[in-house]
Amino acid sequence: MNAAKSPFIKKEVSCPVCSSPAQNRFIMPKSYLESEVDNDRHVKRYKWLDSDFDSYHPPFYHFWHCPTCKYTSSQRDFLKPGEDQQSNFSLLKRCVQQMNPNQKQIVQLLGSDINYENVTFSMALNAHLLALFIQELPPAPDRDDNKIASYY
């Protein structure tokens, strides 16, 4: 594949939790199709419109990540935190900033090796687990159960 050719658009934004610069990427719109979908809408197979990109697995790039504080969430929640009417982002941000040592250790462990330049299955899995862990930091009654369910 041509080194300059990429299915991604890179975007540097400020982390919504710590305000550090965080470079993330998203897949160019309409660059692949969901070629096989289960009845429950789970995509079993993707087809890239450019076969040079066949080695990329789109779900690996669903979550955006801050390398400084390790905050990880969906692209939408990273770019526009708190926009949803029932958003708990203010509480979530406070919980991330006030994690206890055990929580910090878990976040560090899950978030330390995420590298979007060369994503592997284990990195993508860690990003998903980290996003879920962060969403479960607030006390149970204050969690966004719909968001947690969507992250699964």
Side-chain angles (χ1 to χ4, degrees):
M1 176 169 72
N2 179 341
K5 195 174 184 182
S6 171
F8 302 108
I9 297 172
K10 293 181 181 179
K11 184 168 184 146
E12 186 166 304
V13 296
S14 293
C15 172
V17 170
C18 72
S19 301
S20 295
Q23 186 177 74
N24 284 277
R25 59 184 61 205
F26 58 95
I27 297 173
M28 288 187 287
K30 300 181 182 183
S31 56
Y32 67 90
L33 303 170
E34 297 173 347
S35 63
E36 190 176 344
V37 182
D38 282 340
N39 290 343
D40 66 357
R41 299 191 24 88
H42 171 75
V43 181
K44 288 172 67 173
R45 193 165 293 132
Y46 297 89
K47 175 164 179 35
W48 287 94
L49 300 180
D50 185 331
S51 63
D52 285 347
F53 305 143
D54 284 348
S55 64
Y56 296 107
H57 189 56
F60 284 9
Y61 303 91
H62 177 76
F63 289 103
W64 281 28
H65 173 74
C66 173
T68 304
C69 73
K70 310 301 184 215
Y71 176 70
T72 304
S73 69
S74 67
Q75 174 189 349
R76 180 173 187 253
D77 294 330
F78 205 96
L79 291 174
K80 298 178 180 180
E83 190 172 88
D84 294 336
Q85 190 173 13
Q86 54 284 58
S87 174
N88 66 345
F89 180 74
S90 295
L91 174 62
L92 192 68
K93 180 177 179 177
R94 223 174 17 260
C95 288
V96 170
Q97 292 171 333
Q98 298 172 357
M99 289 185 290
N100 67 44
N102 288 339
Q103 292 168 328
K104 287 179 183 178
Q105 187 175 15
I106 292 168
V107 166
Q108 187 62 36
L109 178 68
L110 290 171
S112 61
D113 291 329
I114 297 172
N115 173 6
Y116 285 115
E117 293 299 322
N118 188 23
V119 174
T120 63
F121 174 78
S122 61
M123 283 182 217
L125 179 61
N126 282 349
H128 277 73
L129 293 172
L130 180 53
L132 282 164
F133 182 79
I134 289 169
Q135 288 297 319
E136 292 186 0
L137 286 173
D142 298 322
R143 293 179 186 154
D144 186 339
D145 294 329
N146 289 329
K147 187 174 293 177
I148 291 169
S150 75
Y151 281 10
Y152 277 101

